[in-house]
Amino acid sequence: MKQKILVTGGTGYIGSHTVVELQNAGYDVVIVDNLSNSNSDVLDGIEKISGIRPDFKKMDCNDKEGLRVLLQKHPDIKGIIHFAASKAVGESVHKPLLYYRNNIVTLINLLELMPEADIEGIVFSSSCTVYGQPDILPVTEDAPVKPALSPYGNTKQINEEIIRDTIYAGAPFKSIVLRYFNPIGAHPSGEIGELPNGVPQNLVPFLTQTAMGIRKELSVFGDDYNTPDGSCMRDYINVVDLAKAHVIAMNRMLQNKSKEKLEIFNLGTGRGVSVLELITAFEKGTGVKVPHKIVGRREGDIEKVWANPEHANKVLGWTAKESVENTLISAWNWQKKLREKGIQ
Ligand code: UD1
């Protein structure tokens, strides 16, 4: 019999790509999403790619009773992948309580419900933001967690601590915490991708919208950093590669492949790419120019961070495969698809 997985935030950017990979791997999926930063058309995209329409319930994970009823309706759910969260760094500074409620109360609800629903494991979406500006690059999982620069970053740190304390207190389930570096790109089919509300805050959606002419020009935030070309460097990881890591993590927990009840993995390529290099790679890959100008630094930005992904490579047997150039082409194809559909 197929095993069933609950994916919270499953119509979102990383969530939707993960649902496709879970279904491709033979899992049944139930999505819970409040659609605050996505819409139910995403289900059509998922169905087109995988041939299966996942079970979907519009619900906020703050609704503990609603979650309890859902889990009672699906007693065969064996694992949870918890994506549902608010993720705009700037907004979190102005609305901290919204972030603490959305990102922390929701996790507590799930952890409290897991034992009564006999759920064996939870994969949690964390972020390289927990490292702040690391002292040593590439950064390994043992690097110290630095004081968070925003309420958003703090919620990721607190969530990791909540999971750790709950597991160490003897909770009857396992957890794998995945620290993402910078996920970019879209599914190669062009059926699903990133769809930010309003003006994008992240680099790649802003870049593709500029290339499309929706935005006049891309601002490069600073060229006076201590990097080869002066712009910030990040580890940009293909979203489908990232999604596949979640399936491997889920298999690992459900098949008891590890004795550890809690494991933490960096998910990145191991390569730092600057903002200016990324623009050049986009222009080379797509043949489309991106008007851009250098402006001042963005407050709170980290100068450079990239992963040491060896732990995930060796222990999970997972490696990021797609090149940055192909990934940027996938982001561009998605942007063109949005234009065809008249969405952007
Ligand atoms: C940020 C968060 C990260 C979070 C992610 C998702 C921090 C330190 N990092 O990542 O935790 O998971 O957002 O929302 O808070 N840039 C430009 N021009 C733009 C936009 C971005 O030059 O218009 C540059 C930034 O300065 C940065 C790079 O592009 O160097 C990537 O920025 P972005 O996509 O926003 O991601 P992060 O800031 O790395």
Side-chain angles (χ1 to χ4, degrees), residues 87-89 126-130 132 149-150 152-153 156 180-184 200-207 218-222 225 231-234 236 275 295 298 300-303 305:
K87 63 166 188 175
V89 176
S126 191
S127 164
C128 68
T129 193
V130 301
L149 294 173
S150 68
Y152 160 78
K156 292 294 173 191
Y180 311 152
F181 282 67
N182 284 58
I184 62 166
Q201 306 296 311
N202 294 114
L203 178 59
V204 169
F206 201 103
L207 186 156
L218 169 70
S219 295
V220 175
F221 296 138
Y225 285 100
S231 63
C232 289
M233 294 173 79
R234 297 285 185 274
Y236 294 98
V275 177
V295 300
R298 180 172 72 175
D301 257 339
I302 299 295
E303 181 171 87
V305 61

mmCIF file of all heavy atoms in Angstrom, residues 87-89 126-130 132 149-150 152-153 156 180-184 200-207 218-222 225 231-234 236 275 295 298 300-303 305, ligand 1:
data_model
loop_
_atom_site.group_PDB
_atom_site.id
_atom_site.type_symbol
_atom_site.label_atom_id
_atom_site.label_comp_id
_atom_site.label_asym_id
_atom_site.label_seq_id
_atom_site.Cartn_x
_atom_site.Cartn_y
_atom_site.Cartn_z
ATOM 1 N N LYS A 87 7.614 34.087 5.072
ATOM 2 C CA LYS A 87 9.054 34.068 4.756
ATOM 3 C C LYS A 87 9.639 35.392 4.270
ATOM 4 O O LYS A 87 10.767 35.408 3.772
ATOM 5 C CB LYS A 87 9.331 32.979 3.730
ATOM 6 C CG LYS A 87 8.629 33.212 2.405
ATOM 7 C CD LYS A 87 9.186 32.322 1.311
ATOM 8 C CE LYS A 87 8.617 32.716 -0.019
ATOM 9 N NZ LYS A 87 9.165 32.009 -1.147
ATOM 10 N N ALA A 88 8.888 36.485 4.417
ATOM 11 C CA ALA A 88 9.454 37.762 3.950
ATOM 12 C C ALA A 88 10.224 38.426 5.097
ATOM 13 O O ALA A 88 9.632 38.827 6.114
ATOM 14 C CB ALA A 88 8.357 38.675 3.437
ATOM 15 N N VAL A 89 11.524 38.500 4.916
ATOM 16 C CA VAL A 89 12.394 38.994 5.989
ATOM 17 C C VAL A 89 11.988 40.406 6.427
ATOM 18 O O VAL A 89 11.818 40.682 7.617
ATOM 19 C CB VAL A 89 13.864 38.981 5.507
ATOM 20 C CG1 VAL A 89 14.783 39.568 6.565
ATOM 21 C CG2 VAL A 89 14.288 37.561 5.143
ATOM 22 N N SER A 126 14.219 24.468 7.191
ATOM 23 C CA SER A 126 14.967 25.531 7.846
ATOM 24 C C SER A 126 15.804 26.269 6.795
ATOM 25 O O SER A 126 15.584 26.070 5.592
ATOM 26 C CB SER A 126 15.815 24.969 8.987
ATOM 27 O OG SER A 126 16.337 26.032 9.758
ATOM 28 N N SER A 127 16.706 27.082 7.253
ATOM 29 C CA SER A 127 17.385 27.986 6.322
ATOM 30 C C SER A 127 18.820 28.221 6.759
ATOM 31 O O SER A 127 19.134 28.187 7.969
ATOM 32 C CB SER A 127 16.627 29.320 6.319
ATOM 33 O OG SER A 127 17.404 30.330 5.737
ATOM 34 N N CYS A 128 19.667 28.524 5.775
ATOM 35 C CA CYS A 128 21.058 28.862 6.097
ATOM 36 C C CYS A 128 21.123 30.170 6.863
ATOM 37 O O CYS A 128 22.187 30.557 7.342
ATOM 38 C CB CYS A 128 21.890 28.953 4.830
ATOM 39 S SG CYS A 128 21.449 30.360 3.792
ATOM 40 N N THR A 129 19.981 30.852 6.986
ATOM 41 C CA THR A 129 19.947 32.097 7.752
ATOM 42 C C THR A 129 20.381 31.845 9.205
ATOM 43 O O THR A 129 20.866 32.760 9.876
ATOM 44 C CB THR A 129 18.549 32.751 7.683
ATOM 45 O OG1 THR A 129 18.641 34.077 8.162
ATOM 46 C CG2 THR A 129 17.505 32.018 8.475
ATOM 47 N N VAL A 130 20.248 30.594 9.687
ATOM 48 C CA VAL A 130 20.633 30.314 11.079
ATOM 49 C C VAL A 130 22.137 30.511 11.303
ATOM 50 O O VAL A 130 22.575 30.731 12.424
ATOM 51 C CB VAL A 130 20.225 28.886 11.550
ATOM 52 C CG1 VAL A 130 18.721 28.694 11.444
ATOM 53 C CG2 VAL A 130 20.969 27.798 10.810
ATOM 54 N N GLY A 132 23.897 33.032 10.044
ATOM 55 C CA GLY A 132 24.298 34.433 9.897
ATOM 56 C C GLY A 132 25.458 34.524 8.918
ATOM 57 O O GLY A 132 25.475 33.827 7.902
ATOM 58 N N LEU A 149 19.086 38.049 12.572
ATOM 59 C CA LEU A 149 19.022 39.466 12.192
ATOM 60 C C LEU A 149 17.584 39.931 11.969
ATOM 61 O O LEU A 149 17.347 41.099 11.713
ATOM 62 C CB LEU A 149 19.847 39.692 10.919
ATOM 63 C CG LEU A 149 21.353 39.465 11.082
ATOM 64 C CD1 LEU A 149 22.061 39.554 9.741
ATOM 65 C CD2 LEU A 149 21.936 40.478 12.068
ATOM 66 N N SER A 150 16.623 39.005 12.015
ATOM 67 C CA SER A 150 15.222 39.389 11.798
ATOM 68 C C SER A 150 14.327 38.413 12.555
ATOM 69 O O SER A 150 14.739 37.279 12.840
ATOM 70 C CB SER A 150 14.880 39.318 10.310
ATOM 71 O OG SER A 150 14.889 37.963 9.890
ATOM 72 N N TYR A 152 11.966 36.779 11.276
ATOM 73 C CA TYR A 152 11.863 35.594 10.409
ATOM 74 C C TYR A 152 12.999 34.614 10.723
ATOM 75 O O TYR A 152 12.778 33.425 10.964
ATOM 76 C CB TYR A 152 11.915 35.998 8.926
ATOM 77 C CG TYR A 152 12.285 34.847 8.026
ATOM 78 C CD1 TYR A 152 11.336 33.881 7.679
ATOM 79 C CD2 TYR A 152 13.589 34.684 7.553
ATOM 80 C CE1 TYR A 152 11.694 32.791 6.889
ATOM 81 C CE2 TYR A 152 13.945 33.605 6.769
ATOM 82 C CZ TYR A 152 12.996 32.662 6.435
ATOM 83 O OH TYR A 152 13.350 31.584 5.661
ATOM 84 N N GLY A 153 14.243 35.128 10.713
ATOM 85 C CA GLY A 153 15.398 34.268 10.985
ATOM 86 C C GLY A 153 15.299 33.657 12.372
ATOM 87 O O GLY A 153 15.641 32.487 12.577
ATOM 88 N N LYS A 156 13.139 30.535 12.558
ATOM 89 C CA LYS A 156 13.784 29.293 12.091
ATOM 90 C C LYS A 156 14.662 28.705 13.202
ATOM 91 O O LYS A 156 14.659 27.507 13.444
ATOM 92 C CB LYS A 156 14.613 29.560 10.831
ATOM 93 C CG LYS A 156 13.772 29.920 9.611
ATOM 94 C CD LYS A 156 12.898 28.761 9.137
ATOM 95 C CE LYS A 156 11.939 29.136 8.055
ATOM 96 N NZ LYS A 156 10.916 28.131 7.758
ATOM 97 N N TYR A 180 18.055 25.058 3.966
ATOM 98 C CA TYR A 180 18.170 25.414 2.548
ATOM 99 C C TYR A 180 19.089 26.603 2.383
ATOM 100 O O TYR A 180 19.018 27.562 3.142
ATOM 101 C CB TYR A 180 16.830 25.864 1.952
ATOM 102 C CG TYR A 180 15.640 25.004 2.209
ATOM 103 C CD1 TYR A 180 14.363 25.576 2.245
ATOM 104 C CD2 TYR A 180 15.739 23.630 2.384
ATOM 105 C CE1 TYR A 180 13.236 24.803 2.465
ATOM 106 C CE2 TYR A 180 14.619 22.858 2.607
ATOM 107 C CZ TYR A 180 13.373 23.447 2.657
ATOM 108 O OH TYR A 180 12.259 22.694 2.884
ATOM 109 N N PHE A 181 19.838 26.596 1.297
ATOM 110 C CA PHE A 181 20.562 27.796 0.900
ATOM 111 C C PHE A 181 19.587 28.603 0.015
ATOM 112 O O PHE A 181 18.471 28.830 0.440
ATOM 113 C CB PHE A 181 21.946 27.426 0.336
ATOM 114 C CG PHE A 181 22.857 27.114 1.508
ATOM 115 C CD1 PHE A 181 22.627 25.987 2.306
ATOM 116 C CD2 PHE A 181 23.841 27.991 1.904
ATOM 117 C CE1 PHE A 181 23.378 25.753 3.463
ATOM 118 C CE2 PHE A 181 24.601 27.758 3.051
ATOM 119 C CZ PHE A 181 24.368 26.642 3.827
ATOM 120 N N ASN A 182 19.926 29.052 -1.179
ATOM 121 C CA ASN A 182 18.975 29.924 -1.899
ATOM 122 C C ASN A 182 18.289 29.169 -3.045
ATOM 123 O O ASN A 182 18.862 29.051 -4.128
ATOM 124 C CB ASN A 182 19.707 31.152 -2.450
ATOM 125 C CG ASN A 182 20.018 32.167 -1.367
ATOM 126 O OD1 ASN A 182 20.688 31.846 -0.393
ATOM 127 N ND2 ASN A 182 19.521 33.383 -1.521
ATOM 128 N N PRO A 183 17.068 28.684 -2.809
ATOM 129 C CA PRO A 183 16.361 27.927 -3.851
ATOM 130 C C PRO A 183 15.921 28.850 -4.993
ATOM 131 O O PRO A 183 15.351 29.923 -4.745
ATOM 132 C CB PRO A 183 15.126 27.368 -3.136
ATOM 133 C CG PRO A 183 15.343 27.628 -1.680
ATOM 134 C CD PRO A 183 16.282 28.778 -1.571
ATOM 135 N N ILE A 184 16.196 28.440 -6.213
ATOM 136 C CA ILE A 184 15.770 29.230 -7.387
ATOM 137 C C ILE A 184 15.300 28.286 -8.495
ATOM 138 O O ILE A 184 15.493 27.080 -8.427
ATOM 139 C CB ILE A 184 16.894 30.149 -7.938
ATOM 140 C CG1 ILE A 184 18.095 29.320 -8.410
ATOM 141 C CG2 ILE A 184 17.316 31.184 -6.906
ATOM 142 C CD1 ILE A 184 19.082 30.109 -9.271
ATOM 143 N N PRO A 200 8.573 41.423 -6.043
ATOM 144 C CA PRO A 200 9.410 40.374 -5.449
ATOM 145 C C PRO A 200 10.540 40.961 -4.614
ATOM 146 O O PRO A 200 11.143 41.961 -4.993
ATOM 147 C CB PRO A 200 9.992 39.639 -6.660
ATOM 148 C CG PRO A 200 9.220 40.081 -7.842
ATOM 149 C CD PRO A 200 8.625 41.402 -7.517
ATOM 150 N N GLN A 201 10.818 40.330 -3.493
ATOM 151 C CA GLN A 201 11.937 40.753 -2.637
ATOM 152 C C GLN A 201 13.180 39.951 -2.966
ATOM 153 O O GLN A 201 14.291 40.403 -2.723
ATOM 154 C CB GLN A 201 11.584 40.535 -1.156
ATOM 155 C CG GLN A 201 10.292 41.193 -0.719
ATOM 156 C CD GLN A 201 10.352 42.703 -0.823
ATOM 157 O OE1 GLN A 201 11.315 43.312 -0.355
ATOM 158 N NE2 GLN A 201 9.364 43.317 -1.452
ATOM 159 N N ASN A 202 12.995 38.742 -3.496
ATOM 160 C CA ASN A 202 14.133 37.862 -3.774
ATOM 161 C C ASN A 202 14.699 38.134 -5.160
ATOM 162 O O ASN A 202 14.005 38.631 -6.050
ATOM 163 C CB ASN A 202 13.723 36.396 -3.622
ATOM 164 C CG ASN A 202 13.358 36.056 -2.179
ATOM 165 O OD1 ASN A 202 12.216 35.754 -1.881
ATOM 166 N ND2 ASN A 202 14.325 36.143 -1.292
ATOM 167 N N LEU A 203 15.954 37.786 -5.308
ATOM 168 C CA LEU A 203 16.691 38.182 -6.505
ATOM 169 C C LEU A 203 16.117 37.613 -7.808
ATOM 170 O O LEU A 203 15.865 38.364 -8.759
ATOM 171 C CB LEU A 203 18.164 37.756 -6.349
ATOM 172 C CG LEU A 203 19.077 38.048 -7.523
ATOM 173 C CD1 LEU A 203 19.124 39.533 -7.852
ATOM 174 C CD2 LEU A 203 20.486 37.533 -7.234
ATOM 175 N N VAL A 204 15.931 36.307 -7.876
ATOM 176 C CA VAL A 204 15.600 35.722 -9.179
ATOM 177 C C VAL A 204 14.213 36.127 -9.697
ATOM 178 O O VAL A 204 14.090 36.502 -10.869
ATOM 179 C CB VAL A 204 15.829 34.188 -9.162
ATOM 180 C CG1 VAL A 204 15.236 33.525 -10.397
ATOM 181 C CG2 VAL A 204 17.335 33.932 -9.097
ATOM 182 N N PRO A 205 13.159 36.118 -8.879
ATOM 183 C CA PRO A 205 11.887 36.608 -9.426
ATOM 184 C C PRO A 205 11.956 38.073 -9.866
ATOM 185 O O PRO A 205 11.354 38.446 -10.880
ATOM 186 C CB PRO A 205 10.885 36.427 -8.282
ATOM 187 C CG PRO A 205 11.600 35.788 -7.177
ATOM 188 C CD PRO A 205 13.021 35.534 -7.535
ATOM 189 N N PHE A 206 12.728 38.884 -9.135
ATOM 190 C CA PHE A 206 12.862 40.286 -9.568
ATOM 191 C C PHE A 206 13.593 40.354 -10.907
ATOM 192 O O PHE A 206 13.224 41.108 -11.815
ATOM 193 C CB PHE A 206 13.590 41.132 -8.507
ATOM 194 C CG PHE A 206 13.313 42.601 -8.642
ATOM 195 C CD1 PHE A 206 12.442 43.248 -7.796
ATOM 196 C CD2 PHE A 206 13.897 43.345 -9.676
ATOM 197 C CE1 PHE A 206 12.156 44.603 -7.944
ATOM 198 C CE2 PHE A 206 13.611 44.691 -9.841
ATOM 199 C CZ PHE A 206 12.744 45.327 -8.971
ATOM 200 N N LEU A 207 14.615 39.501 -11.024
ATOM 201 C CA LEU A 207 15.422 39.475 -12.255
ATOM 202 C C LEU A 207 14.566 39.052 -13.462
ATOM 203 O O LEU A 207 14.590 39.700 -14.517
ATOM 204 C CB LEU A 207 16.589 38.511 -12.028
ATOM 205 C CG LEU A 207 17.678 38.386 -13.072
ATOM 206 C CD1 LEU A 207 18.962 37.888 -12.405
ATOM 207 C CD2 LEU A 207 17.316 37.440 -14.173
ATOM 208 N N LEU A 218 16.803 46.139 -12.405
ATOM 209 C CA LEU A 218 17.143 45.393 -11.192
ATOM 210 C C LEU A 218 18.190 46.180 -10.415
ATOM 211 O O LEU A 218 19.188 46.629 -10.994
ATOM 212 C CB LEU A 218 17.715 44.024 -11.595
ATOM 213 C CG LEU A 218 18.366 43.185 -10.499
ATOM 214 C CD1 LEU A 218 17.325 42.673 -9.510
ATOM 215 C CD2 LEU A 218 19.107 42.012 -11.115
ATOM 216 N N SER A 219 17.948 46.373 -9.125
ATOM 217 C CA SER A 219 18.956 47.022 -8.280
ATOM 218 C C SER A 219 19.876 45.959 -7.715
ATOM 219 O O SER A 219 19.402 44.989 -7.107
ATOM 220 C CB SER A 219 18.275 47.754 -7.118
ATOM 221 O OG SER A 219 17.487 48.808 -7.607
ATOM 222 N N VAL A 220 21.164 46.129 -7.909
ATOM 223 C CA VAL A 220 22.151 45.235 -7.298
ATOM 224 C C VAL A 220 22.549 45.887 -5.978
ATOM 225 O O VAL A 220 23.102 47.001 -5.977
ATOM 226 C CB VAL A 220 23.371 45.045 -8.219
ATOM 227 C CG1 VAL A 220 24.446 44.213 -7.524
ATOM 228 C CG2 VAL A 220 22.951 44.415 -9.545
ATOM 229 N N PHE A 221 22.245 45.181 -4.875
ATOM 230 C CA PHE A 221 22.443 45.795 -3.562
ATOM 231 C C PHE A 221 23.895 45.724 -3.107
ATOM 232 O O PHE A 221 24.279 44.850 -2.353
ATOM 233 C CB PHE A 221 21.542 45.116 -2.523
ATOM 234 C CG PHE A 221 20.067 45.285 -2.789
ATOM 235 C CD1 PHE A 221 19.187 44.214 -2.612
ATOM 236 C CD2 PHE A 221 19.540 46.497 -3.202
ATOM 237 C CE1 PHE A 221 17.824 44.364 -2.840
ATOM 238 C CE2 PHE A 221 18.171 46.654 -3.426
ATOM 239 C CZ PHE A 221 17.319 45.584 -3.257
ATOM 240 N N GLY A 222 24.711 46.651 -3.589
ATOM 241 C CA GLY A 222 26.081 46.781 -3.116
ATOM 242 C C GLY A 222 27.105 46.130 -4.025
ATOM 243 O O GLY A 222 26.899 45.013 -4.498
ATOM 244 N N TYR A 225 31.392 44.857 -1.298
ATOM 245 C CA TYR A 225 31.624 43.768 -0.345
ATOM 246 C C TYR A 225 32.989 43.142 -0.601
ATOM 247 O O TYR A 225 33.561 43.290 -1.700
ATOM 248 C CB TYR A 225 30.534 42.692 -0.494
ATOM 249 C CG TYR A 225 29.197 43.092 0.090
ATOM 250 C CD1 TYR A 225 28.160 43.556 -0.726
ATOM 251 C CD2 TYR A 225 28.962 42.994 1.459
ATOM 252 C CE1 TYR A 225 26.925 43.903 -0.195
ATOM 253 C CE2 TYR A 225 27.715 43.341 1.997
ATOM 254 C CZ TYR A 225 26.714 43.793 1.174
ATOM 255 O OH TYR A 225 25.501 44.136 1.711
ATOM 256 N N SER A 231 29.986 42.192 -5.258
ATOM 257 C CA SER A 231 28.567 41.942 -4.923
ATOM 258 C C SER A 231 28.477 40.706 -4.024
ATOM 259 O O SER A 231 29.395 39.883 -3.960
ATOM 260 C CB SER A 231 27.724 41.802 -6.195
ATOM 261 O OG SER A 231 28.110 40.702 -6.980
ATOM 262 N N CYS A 232 27.337 40.577 -3.331
ATOM 263 C CA CYS A 232 27.152 39.478 -2.362
ATOM 264 C C CYS A 232 27.175 38.123 -3.046
ATOM 265 O O CYS A 232 26.776 38.000 -4.214
ATOM 266 C CB CYS A 232 25.779 39.588 -1.705
ATOM 267 S SG CYS A 232 25.558 40.924 -0.573
ATOM 268 N N MET A 233 27.582 37.113 -2.306
ATOM 269 C CA MET A 233 27.605 35.756 -2.871
ATOM 270 C C MET A 233 26.690 34.817 -2.084
ATOM 271 O O MET A 233 26.599 34.890 -0.861
ATOM 272 C CB MET A 233 29.032 35.228 -2.869
ATOM 273 C CG MET A 233 29.923 36.023 -3.812
ATOM 274 S SD MET A 233 31.641 35.541 -3.679
ATOM 275 C CE MET A 233 31.627 34.033 -4.638
ATOM 276 N N ARG A 234 25.998 33.944 -2.841
ATOM 277 C CA ARG A 234 25.066 32.971 -2.264
ATOM 278 C C ARG A 234 25.257 31.634 -2.951
ATOM 279 O O ARG A 234 25.836 31.558 -4.036
ATOM 280 C CB ARG A 234 23.606 33.413 -2.513
ATOM 281 C CG ARG A 234 23.203 34.718 -1.866
ATOM 282 C CD ARG A 234 22.997 34.536 -0.368
ATOM 283 N NE ARG A 234 22.500 35.761 0.250
ATOM 284 C CZ ARG A 234 23.278 36.750 0.678
ATOM 285 N NH1 ARG A 234 24.592 36.681 0.554
ATOM 286 N NH2 ARG A 234 22.751 37.824 1.245
ATOM 287 N N TYR A 236 23.128 29.204 -4.810
ATOM 288 C CA TYR A 236 21.806 29.092 -5.452
ATOM 289 C C TYR A 236 21.558 27.650 -5.837
ATOM 290 O O TYR A 236 22.324 27.056 -6.602
ATOM 291 C CB TYR A 236 21.746 30.007 -6.684
ATOM 292 C CG TYR A 236 21.821 31.464 -6.306
ATOM 293 C CD1 TYR A 236 23.022 32.166 -6.362
ATOM 294 C CD2 TYR A 236 20.691 32.132 -5.831
ATOM 295 C CE1 TYR A 236 23.101 33.496 -5.979
ATOM 296 C CE2 TYR A 236 20.760 33.463 -5.439
ATOM 297 C CZ TYR A 236 21.965 34.141 -5.518
ATOM 298 O OH TYR A 236 22.031 35.461 -5.122
ATOM 299 N N VAL A 275 25.958 38.149 -7.163
ATOM 300 C CA VAL A 275 24.773 38.707 -7.828
ATOM 301 C C VAL A 275 25.114 39.032 -9.283
ATOM 302 O O VAL A 275 24.356 38.702 -10.215
ATOM 303 C CB VAL A 275 24.272 39.974 -7.090
ATOM 304 C CG1 VAL A 275 23.094 40.594 -7.818
ATOM 305 C CG2 VAL A 275 23.899 39.659 -5.651
ATOM 306 N N VAL A 295 23.237 49.807 -6.551
ATOM 307 C CA VAL A 295 22.740 50.746 -5.533
ATOM 308 C C VAL A 295 23.417 50.393 -4.209
ATOM 309 O O VAL A 295 24.267 49.503 -4.164
ATOM 310 C CB VAL A 295 21.186 50.668 -5.409
ATOM 311 C CG1 VAL A 295 20.517 51.015 -6.723
ATOM 312 C CG2 VAL A 295 20.735 49.309 -4.901
ATOM 313 N N ARG A 298 21.759 46.477 0.993
ATOM 314 C CA ARG A 298 20.450 46.254 1.632
ATOM 315 C C ARG A 298 20.707 45.903 3.096
ATOM 316 O O ARG A 298 21.534 45.040 3.394
ATOM 317 C CB ARG A 298 19.717 45.104 0.926
ATOM 318 C CG ARG A 298 18.365 44.787 1.498
ATOM 319 C CD ARG A 298 17.607 43.788 0.635
ATOM 320 N NE ARG A 298 18.148 42.428 0.701
ATOM 321 C CZ ARG A 298 17.595 41.383 0.104
ATOM 322 N NH1 ARG A 298 16.493 41.527 -0.630
ATOM 323 N NH2 ARG A 298 18.147 40.189 0.210
ATOM 324 N N GLY A 300 20.846 44.346 6.568
ATOM 325 C CA GLY A 300 20.696 42.970 7.050
ATOM 326 C C GLY A 300 21.255 41.910 6.114
ATOM 327 O O GLY A 300 21.213 40.723 6.440
ATOM 328 N N ASP A 301 21.760 42.306 4.928
ATOM 329 C CA ASP A 301 22.290 41.301 4.007
ATOM 330 C C ASP A 301 23.591 40.703 4.530
ATOM 331 O O ASP A 301 24.427 41.399 5.092
ATOM 332 C CB ASP A 301 22.554 41.920 2.627
ATOM 333 C CG ASP A 301 21.481 41.568 1.614
ATOM 334 O OD1 ASP A 301 20.773 40.563 1.834
ATOM 335 O OD2 ASP A 301 21.345 42.291 0.608
ATOM 336 N N ILE A 302 23.732 39.432 4.293
ATOM 337 C CA ILE A 302 24.967 38.715 4.609
ATOM 338 C C ILE A 302 25.906 38.896 3.408
ATOM 339 O O ILE A 302 25.458 38.868 2.267
ATOM 340 C CB ILE A 302 24.632 37.214 4.799
ATOM 341 C CG1 ILE A 302 23.642 37.014 5.956
ATOM 342 C CG2 ILE A 302 25.886 36.372 4.975
ATOM 343 C CD1 ILE A 302 24.152 37.382 7.304
ATOM 344 N N GLU A 303 27.205 39.049 3.670
ATOM 345 C CA GLU A 303 28.151 39.271 2.571
ATOM 346 C C GLU A 303 28.284 38.033 1.676
ATOM 347 O O GLU A 303 28.140 38.103 0.450
ATOM 348 C CB GLU A 303 29.518 39.615 3.166
ATOM 349 C CG GLU A 303 30.583 39.898 2.145
ATOM 350 C CD GLU A 303 31.820 40.451 2.845
ATOM 351 O OE1 GLU A 303 32.660 39.645 3.298
ATOM 352 O OE2 GLU A 303 31.921 41.684 2.958
ATOM 353 N N VAL A 305 27.775 33.535 1.691
ATOM 354 C CA VAL A 305 27.507 32.264 2.362
ATOM 355 C C VAL A 305 27.280 31.179 1.318
ATOM 356 O O VAL A 305 26.571 31.386 0.335
ATOM 357 C CB VAL A 305 26.299 32.387 3.348
ATOM 358 C CG1 VAL A 305 24.998 32.766 2.658
ATOM 359 C CG2 VAL A 305 26.112 31.112 4.161
HETATM 360 C C1 UD1 B 1 16.731 35.831 2.299
HETATM 361 C C2 UD1 B 1 16.946 35.412 3.716
HETATM 362 C C3 UD1 B 1 16.760 33.925 3.843
HETATM 363 C C4 UD1 B 1 15.388 33.566 3.366
HETATM 364 C C5 UD1 B 1 15.222 34.017 1.928
HETATM 365 C C6 UD1 B 1 13.807 33.707 1.466
HETATM 366 C C7 UD1 B 1 18.500 36.723 5.038
HETATM 367 C C8 UD1 B 1 19.902 36.979 5.387
HETATM 368 N N1 UD1 B 1 18.276 35.767 4.146
HETATM 369 O O1 UD1 B 1 17.799 35.289 1.541
HETATM 370 O O2 UD1 B 1 16.876 33.534 5.155
HETATM 371 O O3 UD1 B 1 15.210 32.185 3.486
HETATM 372 O O4 UD1 B 1 15.473 35.400 1.835
HETATM 373 O O5 UD1 B 1 12.962 34.767 1.498
HETATM 374 O O6 UD1 B 1 17.630 37.334 5.544
HETATM 375 N N2 UD1 B 1 19.581 41.109 -4.316
HETATM 376 C C9 UD1 B 1 19.803 42.192 -5.176
HETATM 377 N N3 UD1 B 1 18.745 42.825 -5.697
HETATM 378 C C10 UD1 B 1 17.440 42.451 -5.469
HETATM 379 C C11 UD1 B 1 17.212 41.340 -4.617
HETATM 380 C C12 UD1 B 1 18.307 40.704 -4.047
HETATM 381 O O7 UD1 B 1 20.957 42.562 -5.419
HETATM 382 O O8 UD1 B 1 16.513 43.083 -5.972
HETATM 383 C C13 UD1 B 1 20.722 40.391 -3.758
HETATM 384 C C14 UD1 B 1 20.782 40.386 -2.231
HETATM 385 O O9 UD1 B 1 21.525 41.474 -1.768
HETATM 386 C C15 UD1 B 1 21.490 39.049 -1.978
HETATM 387 C C16 UD1 B 1 21.084 38.161 -3.146
HETATM 388 O O10 UD1 B 1 20.596 39.049 -4.153
HETATM 389 O O11 UD1 B 1 22.859 39.214 -2.036
HETATM 390 C C17 UD1 B 1 19.995 37.168 -2.802
HETATM 391 O O12 UD1 B 1 18.923 37.871 -2.192
HETATM 392 P P1 UD1 B 1 17.532 37.162 -1.862
HETATM 393 O O13 UD1 B 1 17.052 36.429 -3.056
HETATM 394 O O14 UD1 B 1 16.638 38.193 -1.261
HETATM 395 O O15 UD1 B 1 17.897 36.049 -0.780
HETATM 396 P P2 UD1 B 1 18.685 36.181 0.612
HETATM 397 O O16 UD1 B 1 18.722 37.558 1.112
HETATM 398 O O17 UD1 B 1 19.983 35.480 0.435
#
